Amino acid sequence: MLKPWHISLSRSLRPWASCTIARGPFAHKAFGTKSSLQCTVITSSSFKSARNTVSLRAMTTTRDTTLQSDIAKMKTEPDGSFKRAPSSYRNTIQKGGQFEPESDRYHLYVSYACPWATRTLIVRKLKGLEDIIPTTVVSPHMGTHGWPFASVDKFPGADVDPLYNSDHVRDLYLKADPDYGGRFTVPVLWDKKTHKIVNNESSEIIRIFNTAFNDLIPADKAGLDIYPANLRNEIDELNEWIYPDINNGVYRSGFATTQEAYQKAVLEVFAALDKVEKILTGKDYLVAERLTEADVRLWVTIIRFDPVYVGHFKCNIRTIRDGYPAIHSWLRKLYWNNDAFKSSTDFNHIKTHYYWSHPSINPTRIVPVGPIPNIKPLDSV
Ligand SMILES: N[C@@H](CCC(=O)N[C@@H](CS)C(=O)NCC(=O)O)C(=O)O
């Protein structure tokens, strides 16, 4: 008995679906690419007939799959709310472990557009790891095949993949594991020695960067600790609500597909921002009087707020610049006074990515001109 599925190549559909579609000769011909995930899949209990069906369907389903893939990517729950899938690779780097701290063994693939990837860029720079861990930046046009490298999309500031000349980030995931069934996300911390992914979860990558390479960097950089033992409880407590209510809250607002789900999410975003405003009033940092990972984790969302989330994700109850003076001051001080923040920010990548890559929200793909400027100077009110 055949059963229709909406494809997002979830774990439940692999390995046969990913194998057939990623490599099948019919899928090749149908889409003219190495891989194609956007089609309706018919499954049956028999492995063989499922394979054949998938290949044939791949040939005949719609060619303009962008909208479909966009919706499939931003999977919502039956009540219209958005849930983010968990990251797949969660290894660490440590002496005596599978992945040892070594110079030029690891490579960081990022997008300037992505807040999670930007966390890793900021901490890499704060810790002075630029020579130890080189980076590659993808194009912000996250399309049918995910994040492209400059070899297939020459966007200013995007790089080619220096290791494998991959077309897309997904090629890296499939190189590391041909049966990979998860999402093809950035950031990716890649091991050049084993050709494997060490970790693709930004909150863990920044903790790896915070300590793992301390023996290989100058003492002042090694001494910088953004997750100090005596402040961990306080940092963890903040992370616990800032992540769901703000970092991911803006996505829950933007990707909601019902009025109720949107309203719930957007009100939670602003209630949490109100709380942050109180914490930052009269202070330069969230925790104690020093920079911690709590600042880094929140900052990547706030820097995108006025340029993108207010419009694209409908988080428009207030702007940061007009509605939250303490957050606005904290945002600008970190941007203008600390190059780790400024150098990790590219507003062209940020705005182009969001407005271009989610046609279910912005079908025309027009990128708004404002706000002008994207970030105000330090001395403005
Ligand atoms: N939990 C991950 C989330 C990473 C993530 O969702 N990255 C987005 C870009 S902002 C992505 O690459 N999405 C591609 C996709 O889901 O297909 C982290 O914090 O590292």
PDB file of all heavy atoms in Angstrom, residues 262 266-267 270 310 314-319:
ATOM      1  N   TYR A 262       1.769  32.870  16.026  1.00  0.00           N
ATOM      2  CA  TYR A 262       2.554  34.098  15.848  1.00  0.00           C
ATOM      3  C   TYR A 262       2.415  35.005  17.068  1.00  0.00           C
ATOM      4  O   TYR A 262       3.410  35.474  17.630  1.00  0.00           O
ATOM      5  CB  TYR A 262       2.117  34.832  14.575  1.00  0.00           C
ATOM      6  CG  TYR A 262       2.482  36.305  14.596  1.00  0.00           C
ATOM      7  CD1 TYR A 262       3.817  36.699  14.538  1.00  0.00           C
ATOM      8  CD2 TYR A 262       1.498  37.285  14.728  1.00  0.00           C
ATOM      9  CE1 TYR A 262       4.168  38.051  14.608  1.00  0.00           C
ATOM     10  CE2 TYR A 262       1.835  38.630  14.799  1.00  0.00           C
ATOM     11  CZ  TYR A 262       3.172  39.007  14.738  1.00  0.00           C
ATOM     12  OH  TYR A 262       3.517  40.329  14.822  1.00  0.00           O
ATOM     13  N   VAL A 266       5.449  36.254  19.384  1.00  0.00           N
ATOM     14  CA  VAL A 266       5.931  37.645  19.348  1.00  0.00           C
ATOM     15  C   VAL A 266       5.781  38.302  20.728  1.00  0.00           C
ATOM     16  O   VAL A 266       6.639  39.078  21.148  1.00  0.00           O
ATOM     17  CB  VAL A 266       5.251  38.439  18.211  1.00  0.00           C
ATOM     18  CG1 VAL A 266       3.841  38.906  18.586  1.00  0.00           C
ATOM     19  CG2 VAL A 266       6.098  39.641  17.817  1.00  0.00           C
ATOM     20  N   LEU A 267       4.732  37.962  21.435  1.00  0.00           N
ATOM     21  CA  LEU A 267       4.573  38.536  22.780  1.00  0.00           C
ATOM     22  C   LEU A 267       5.658  38.009  23.711  1.00  0.00           C
ATOM     23  O   LEU A 267       6.169  38.747  24.567  1.00  0.00           O
ATOM     24  CB  LEU A 267       3.172  38.227  23.334  1.00  0.00           C
ATOM     25  CG  LEU A 267       2.031  38.971  22.614  1.00  0.00           C
ATOM     26  CD1 LEU A 267       0.661  38.515  23.122  1.00  0.00           C
ATOM     27  CD2 LEU A 267       2.172  40.493  22.763  1.00  0.00           C
ATOM     28  N   PHE A 270       8.910  39.965  23.084  1.00  0.00           N
ATOM     29  CA  PHE A 270       8.972  41.307  23.674  1.00  0.00           C
ATOM     30  C   PHE A 270       8.935  41.285  25.207  1.00  0.00           C
ATOM     31  O   PHE A 270       9.568  42.137  25.845  1.00  0.00           O
ATOM     32  CB  PHE A 270       7.898  42.215  23.047  1.00  0.00           C
ATOM     33  CG  PHE A 270       8.349  42.694  21.686  1.00  0.00           C
ATOM     34  CD1 PHE A 270       8.091  41.945  20.544  1.00  0.00           C
ATOM     35  CD2 PHE A 270       9.116  43.841  21.566  1.00  0.00           C
ATOM     36  CE1 PHE A 270       8.560  42.349  19.301  1.00  0.00           C
ATOM     37  CE2 PHE A 270       9.593  44.257  20.323  1.00  0.00           C
ATOM     38  CZ  PHE A 270       9.317  43.502  19.184  1.00  0.00           C
ATOM     39  N   VAL A 310      12.359  42.833  12.748  1.00  0.00           N
ATOM     40  CA  VAL A 310      11.213  43.736  12.863  1.00  0.00           C
ATOM     41  C   VAL A 310      10.300  43.571  11.638  1.00  0.00           C
ATOM     42  O   VAL A 310       9.075  43.446  11.777  1.00  0.00           O
ATOM     43  CB  VAL A 310      11.676  45.214  12.984  1.00  0.00           C
ATOM     44  CG1 VAL A 310      10.501  46.171  12.811  1.00  0.00           C
ATOM     45  CG2 VAL A 310      12.356  45.441  14.332  1.00  0.00           C
ATOM     46  N   LYS A 314       8.162  39.910  11.549  1.00  0.00           N
ATOM     47  CA  LYS A 314       6.999  40.582  12.163  1.00  0.00           C
ATOM     48  C   LYS A 314       7.171  40.819  13.660  1.00  0.00           C
ATOM     49  O   LYS A 314       6.193  40.811  14.420  1.00  0.00           O
ATOM     50  CB  LYS A 314       5.713  39.783  11.902  1.00  0.00           C
ATOM     51  CG  LYS A 314       5.440  39.499  10.421  1.00  0.00           C
ATOM     52  CD  LYS A 314       4.124  38.764  10.248  1.00  0.00           C
ATOM     53  CE  LYS A 314       3.874  38.395   8.799  1.00  0.00           C
ATOM     54  NZ  LYS A 314       4.663  37.230   8.343  1.00  0.00           N
ATOM     55  N   CYS A 315       8.425  41.022  14.083  1.00  0.00           N
ATOM     56  CA  CYS A 315       8.677  41.352  15.498  1.00  0.00           C
ATOM     57  C   CYS A 315       8.641  42.866  15.642  1.00  0.00           C
ATOM     58  O   CYS A 315       9.669  43.510  15.912  1.00  0.00           O
ATOM     59  CB  CYS A 315      10.038  40.805  15.934  1.00  0.00           C
ATOM     60  SG  CYS A 315      10.102  39.022  15.979  1.00  0.00           S
ATOM     61  N   ASN A 316       7.461  43.442  15.421  1.00  0.00           N
ATOM     62  CA  ASN A 316       7.411  44.898  15.227  1.00  0.00           C
ATOM     63  C   ASN A 316       6.653  45.649  16.311  1.00  0.00           C
ATOM     64  O   ASN A 316       6.110  46.722  16.073  1.00  0.00           O
ATOM     65  CB  ASN A 316       6.836  45.210  13.834  1.00  0.00           C
ATOM     66  CG  ASN A 316       5.428  44.672  13.678  1.00  0.00           C
ATOM     67  OD1 ASN A 316       4.907  44.026  14.581  1.00  0.00           O
ATOM     68  ND2 ASN A 316       4.824  44.935  12.550  1.00  0.00           N
ATOM     69  N   ILE A 317       6.612  45.085  17.501  1.00  0.00           N
ATOM     70  CA  ILE A 317       5.953  45.838  18.587  1.00  0.00           C
ATOM     71  C   ILE A 317       6.790  47.079  18.924  1.00  0.00           C
ATOM     72  O   ILE A 317       6.265  48.161  19.126  1.00  0.00           O
ATOM     73  CB  ILE A 317       5.725  44.931  19.812  1.00  0.00           C
ATOM     74  CG1 ILE A 317       4.742  43.791  19.435  1.00  0.00           C
ATOM     75  CG2 ILE A 317       5.198  45.743  20.996  1.00  0.00           C
ATOM     76  CD1 ILE A 317       4.468  42.797  20.539  1.00  0.00           C
ATOM     77  N   ARG A 318       8.084  46.885  19.005  1.00  0.00           N
ATOM     78  CA  ARG A 318       9.024  48.005  19.183  1.00  0.00           C
ATOM     79  C   ARG A 318      10.295  47.686  18.406  1.00  0.00           C
ATOM     80  O   ARG A 318      10.567  46.520  18.130  1.00  0.00           O
ATOM     81  CB  ARG A 318       9.413  48.170  20.665  1.00  0.00           C
ATOM     82  CG  ARG A 318       8.373  48.874  21.508  1.00  0.00           C
ATOM     83  CD  ARG A 318       8.822  49.013  22.966  1.00  0.00           C
ATOM     84  NE  ARG A 318       8.746  47.744  23.690  1.00  0.00           N
ATOM     85  CZ  ARG A 318       7.621  47.191  24.117  1.00  0.00           C
ATOM     86  NH1 ARG A 318       6.464  47.786  23.876  1.00  0.00           N
ATOM     87  NH2 ARG A 318       7.627  46.051  24.771  1.00  0.00           N
ATOM     88  N   THR A 319      11.098  48.714  18.108  1.00  0.00           N
ATOM     89  CA  THR A 319      12.443  48.455  17.582  1.00  0.00           C
ATOM     90  C   THR A 319      13.420  48.541  18.752  1.00  0.00           C
ATOM     91  O   THR A 319      13.087  49.094  19.806  1.00  0.00           O
ATOM     92  CB  THR A 319      12.851  49.502  16.529  1.00  0.00           C
ATOM     93  OG1 THR A 319      12.793  50.794  17.138  1.00  0.00           O
ATOM     94  CG2 THR A 319      11.964  49.452  15.301  1.00  0.00           C
TER      95      THR A 319
END
